[in-house]
Amino acid sequence: MSTPNNEPADLENGAEAPRQQRSSLPSFLFITFVLFMLTSGRGDDVTVVRDQYLNGLNSLNRQLANYSAWLNGTASNYSLPTLDPNMLPLVGAFVTFGPELDPKSGSYYSNMTGFWHGDLQPHNLTNLNTSEAASSWRHLSEQFMVSTNFTAIPDLLGPWNWTRSNRVSLSVGDKLIPFEHNGFNNTNVAIIHGKVDLSDPESSDELRLDFEGIHVLSTGAVYAHAESSGRGMDIRDLPALVPSKFRNDSARAVEIELAYRISKLQEKIESGSFEQDSSEADETPKTKCSFKLFAQLKGSDVPKELMDELESEIGEPTGITTVKSPEFSLEGVMLSQDCGILYEVKHVLGVQSQRLYRKITTYSGISTLVNLALLALFRRQAAESSSAIGLSRVSRYTFLIQSLIDAISFIGHITLGILAEGRPSLSVLAPAGLACLLFVYEAQMAVLIGQIQAPEDAPSSRPTPPPPSPAPVPAPQQTGPAVIGEEGAPATPPQQPAPPPAPTLPERPSFWRFLWTHIRTDPAARLWTILSLSLMVVFRVVIALSLPLFFIGSLYSGMWLMQIYRSVRRSRSSGLSVEYLVGTTLGRLFFACYFLACPKNILDVEPRRWIYFVGLFMLAQVCIIFLQERVDPAFFLPKRMSPAQTYDYHPPLPLPDPEAPEQTLGDCAICMDAILVDPSLQRRSKSTDAKERPVLGRAGGLLGKVGGARKTYSLAPCHHLFHTACLERWLAIKNICPQCRRPLPPL
């Protein structure tokens, strides 16, 4: 019986070999995992949240009523707190507040909205070191700490290590509060709010503080109050930090801002759009210290009119030519009287939000093109390696590692889109979607490779020995007289047949045991389980914003290592094209080098020098794979460490009798046609009885020297004989013997 060239037959039943059905349990587990990730959030009762909003609204209304009464000089329950007289002199020892500049010769930035990053230098005011004790501000710190309760400091400090903090990040929102008072329009005061993050370089942990403050535009000075997230602040106390010259204007601006927040809260309650953000509320604050933040913007020699034009162009670009942007920087001090801590905030550089958003949009466009290139390279390589022979040459772990990298990329871009908000968040969805698509394709590729390579690790099936024959049952001894038969011989008593064994029902395994057995025996289930667990770790760690960078570095470093190992182990080259190796490596390195080598990346991640070694290591791996393709898979190993030679499908075989009518070696186990003998490959050999017998072997002479003669027969390790062409077509679909189902080495 013959079959088409591209459809090998199953000789056991004479039909086409059925495809192995994909197990449904791994898909069920993976879908369950995805649903768990989507529904793992906690939702508060809407009624409870509404009650909380109503209580907050009532509290703000009372605060505004008392504050307005105090501001107008009528009876009120509110009074402005008194600032410690030693605070501003101590701050002045570190920060010099700028004067009001002439609008024609200089100006300050009027909008601080953006992201700031700088250095910190801590000072412990409760225990000054030698250099601090000899400084000019020592007596000011001693007077400042007179009213501090030293016994309560350890409880207020909390678990945070204050002396190791050396970096600060600020996310600032600046809102101008124009108002009219006594017939004059005032546009000199803005309300700022945001977050301050202190970072610990040793633990990669961060301490987050919320702050509310006042920005005086004419002097570029900032006066703010900072507390741990969730503790809350009363913005009515902010005018106490401002110099008396600007205190009344600041108080009016605070009143307007408080009324605005009440109106926004009222709109949320009426529309029912409640923000259920309980993560920070449930988290225990790392510290109970209250901080005062004083900062001064760096002045510029740009006239006020040109500065306003520059800031307008930054906010809403029109394409006009403006002056060169001056440095957007500030210096400041953070100090806590109740905890005895003072931080010098130095070399703080900022980037305006609109510029950052345009930077994010540019990055999104470039990363989209890179991901498109990665997707095109992968699809082309997947098409080239779609056969069973091609899939048996590549490593499943190479694609599994790449799928994890793309999962991290997807989550990172989605997180970036959430943080960016507005139009930039939409642009980030493009590379995020392509990264998700790459993850799905690469995970499917890894599963497919695992199914093709599963027979390699399967134990060889051995014939089961026949069950031992039952031992003869000895005849029972008779105590009485022997029974004599008719012919005088002793009669043999009839033997009673042994009762059949009672059927035993197999013990039904528990669900967990069945699950463990299924994962352990099914390669697809095992691969999906590993992928699901890895994704769970990636999701949780990335969302927590504490992903160790060495984990990313290890993924990049080991991306091609498993392919090199498989090529050496199987003594076969990878079959990966040069364009795929080089293009994929460069595309992966683009993201790693941008965030870990570029000092001005959009996330402001500090450069890591080790990323250069990771890049060189990846390029070295690509060179090794290229040489494995051109030279030898184990060219870099000593001879004694080289793997065993590959299996020879064309060993010398004895020829049939020369006088036989057909010179054949037998029938092919696939097409069932005879395997004819090539006369050019016959040679004579002597057997043990010194007689010459025909043997089919390697050709001698020129044909043997060339070594390129194609044998018409192929003998598998299981001693089944095939046409070479038939076996090649069969191995292009499955790498197991079509008769005994044992795994076959590459042809």
Side-chain angles (χ1 to χ4, degrees), residues 367 518 588 614 627 669 730 744:
S367 58
H518 184 75
R588 301 293 183 191
V614 172
L627 293 176
W730 172 264
L744 295 179

Side-chain angles (χ1 to χ4, degrees), residues 552-681:
I552 299 179
S554 61
L555 289 178
Y556 273 81
S557 300
M559 192 170 70
W560 303 118
L561 281 180
M562 298 307 298
Q563 181 59 60
I564 296 175
Y565 170 75
R566 178 168 182 82
S567 298
V568 172
R569 181 170 173 264
R570 304 295 297 178
S571 297
R572 293 290 302 273
S573 59
S574 64
L576 300 177
S577 63
V578 177
E579 64 175 5
Y580 175 75
L581 290 171
V582 177
T584 302
T585 302
L586 295 179
R588 301 293 183 191
L589 285 177
F590 164 76
F591 296 99
C593 292
Y594 176 75
F595 288 105
L596 298 179
C598 179
K600 295 184 179 181
N601 59 81
I602 56 177
L603 297 181
D604 198 56
V605 179
E606 293 186 8
R608 303 307 201 272
R609 292 185 178 180
W610 52 262
I611 193 61
Y612 297 107
F613 297 99
V614 172
L616 293 176
F617 187 52
M618 291 182 65
L619 294 176
Q621 295 175 42
V622 172
C623 293
I624 292 176
I625 296 177
F626 178 76
L627 293 176
Q628 284 180 321
E629 187 81 23
R630 296 295 186 271
V631 183
D632 184 74
F635 74 94
F636 55 90
L637 293 178
K639 293 295 182 182
R640 56 185 179 85
M641 296 180 60
S642 298
Q645 297 295 326
T646 57
Y647 176 76
D648 184 11
Y649 275 92
H650 314 294
L653 295 179
L655 284 174
D657 189 355
E659 298 179 358
E662 292 185 0
Q663 295 294 309
T664 64
L665 298 175
D667 293 339
C668 174
I670 296 178
C671 67
M672 304 303 295
D673 290 341
I675 303 177
L676 302 178
V677 177
D678 187 356
S680 63
L681 299 181

Side-chain angles (χ1 to χ4, degrees), residues 97-115:
F97 289 102
E100 295 187 53
L101 301 177
D102 183 3
K104 297 181 180 180
S105 59
S107 62
Y108 300 98
Y109 277 99
S110 61
N111 192 347
M112 292 182 59
T113 301
F115 302 90

